[in-house]
Amino acid sequence: HVERVTAGKRFEHVDLAHVLSKLGSKLLVEIFVNLLVERKLLFVAESLSDLTTIIHSIMQLLYPLQWQGIYIPVLPQEILDATSSPVPFVIGILKQHAKTLDTEALDDECNLVYITDKRIVKRPNFTDIPFNKKYRKKFLQELKLYKGRILKEGEVKDGSTHHTEEIGEMFYQFMRTIIGHYSDHVTFNERGESDIDLTSFSDAAGIHAEFVWQMSKTQMFSSFIQGLTRDSENVFETKSEG
């Protein structure tokens, strides 16, 4: 059953201002877009705290979707072969262990995210994600402006709750823009099971149609639609805060 989750609850133990300053706007958006189409992501960082904090925080931005693949924020060195899994994954490894990783064995849909260097390394045969360039540019500008505001304010205190909720709201509006119309395309059979017309849903996304089509094929989106009931309200329509 799909229920609304308030921003306060969603962003407990999350510091998005820290994530934005650590990764930068461009890399954060790149990671987010990759997650939405369930690409495999392998995060590399020097510290355990960076891996756990950053990966956990980013996953909260997917709301109302929930990651359905493998999720291991810190992978022990002994089981590095988990990175050759055929299913979508979000895995974190320490930089010191990355040296023993056979990157050639990673498949073409896996990207390596180097947190310290603020860069993403794509596989040689990686297929580009069809995300609208103008919208990406506009969203990046908004994030960069917000990052500038945070820097002007100086050191952020008290876990920067209001920054986290404001950055979270920007990503929430991003999701609303691309999939907020989902309820117009959902039907229910006599047993109350939900289904969605993916073609009309994607076409109705306008400039995002190609991206939404790809995204609609993910386990995350499928699970979200399956969780709907006849009584479900559109999670984007009457947002409650808390």
Side-chain angles (χ1 to χ4, degrees), residues 134-181:
K134 278 186 182 173
Y135 188 80
R136 183 195 292 257
K137 190 177 177 183
K138 178 175 168 281
F139 190 64
L140 273 173
Q141 283 171 338
E142 287 172 16
L143 271 178
K144 282 174 183 170
L145 283 171
Y146 193 84
K147 187 182 173 186
R149 270 177 54 196
I150 296 173
L151 292 172
K152 268 188 185 173
E153 287 176 25
E155 201 60 41
V156 181
K157 298 183 176 75
D158 303 321
S160 59
T161 309
H162 77 284
H163 285 310
T164 287
E165 293 197 5
E166 285 178 1
I167 296 166
E169 176 66 16
M170 292 163 80
F171 280 89
Y172 174 86
Q173 292 302 333
F174 181 120
M175 293 295 281
R176 184 180 197 163
T177 300
I178 60 175
I179 63 165
H181 59 294

Side-chain angles (χ1 to χ4, degrees), residues 10-16 53 56-58 60 159-161 164:
R10 218 160 65 241
F11 296 127
E12 277 177 344
H13 316 299
V14 166
D15 185 353
L16 290 174
T53 308
H56 170 72
S57 298
I58 290 171
Q60 310 318 306
S160 59
T161 309
T164 287

Side-chain angles (χ1 to χ4, degrees), residues 63-227:
Y63 177 82
L65 307 183
Q66 288 185 315
W67 184 254
Q68 302 293 311
I70 293 171
Y71 176 66
I72 311 172
V74 183
L75 184 72
Q77 187 178 12
E78 306 79 64
I79 52 169
L80 280 183
D81 57 355
T83 56
S84 58
S85 169
V87 299
F89 63 68
V90 170
I91 291 175
I93 60 172
L94 288 169
K95 195 173 182 178
Q96 65 202 63
H97 298 156
K99 294 167 189 166
T100 61
L101 184 73
D102 180 7
T103 53
E104 294 304 311
L106 297 172
D107 78 22
D108 290 334
E109 299 302 302
C110 179
N111 287 334
L112 282 111
V113 179
Y114 291 94
I115 291 172
T116 313
D117 305 333
K118 296 187 181 179
R119 67 190 176 103
I120 189 166
V121 177
K122 296 177 181 177
R123 306 294 297 137
N125 299 316
F126 179 82
T127 5
D128 280 337
I129 298 167
F131 193 72
N132 184 270
K133 287 191 173 87
K134 278 186 182 173
Y135 188 80
R136 183 195 292 257
K137 190 177 177 183
K138 178 175 168 281
F139 190 64
L140 273 173
Q141 283 171 338
E142 287 172 16
L143 271 178
K144 282 174 183 170
L145 283 171
Y146 193 84
K147 187 182 173 186
R149 270 177 54 196
I150 296 173
L151 292 172
K152 268 188 185 173
E153 287 176 25
E155 201 60 41
V156 181
K157 298 183 176 75
D158 303 321
S160 59
T161 309
H162 77 284
H163 285 310
T164 287
E165 293 197 5
E166 285 178 1
I167 296 166
E169 176 66 16
M170 292 163 80
F171 280 89
Y172 174 86
Q173 292 302 333
F174 181 120
M175 293 295 281
R176 184 180 197 163
T177 300
I178 60 175
I179 63 165
H181 59 294
Y182 71 88
S183 56
D184 298 336
H185 305 272
V186 173
T187 54
F188 296 90
N189 64 20
E190 53 196 25
R191 294 188 298 278
E193 296 163 339
S194 53
D195 195 11
I196 187 167
D197 183 333
L198 293 182
T199 304
S200 68
F201 169 66
S202 302
D203 288 348
I207 59 166
H208 301 293
E210 204 180 341
F211 178 73
V212 168
W213 174 255
Q214 200 167 323
M215 185 183 165
S216 71
K217 301 288 193 177
T218 63
Q219 292 173 36
M220 274 190 302
F221 188 74
S222 176
S223 174
F224 171 69
I225 296 300
Q226 284 167 15

Side-chain angles (χ1 to χ4, degrees), residues 24-39:
S25 312
K26 192 176 178 184
L27 180 56
L28 179 55
V29 171
E30 187 77 20
I31 291 167
F32 182 63
V33 167
N34 271 271
L35 286 173
L36 287 177
V37 292
E38 288 183 342
R39 291 290 166 88

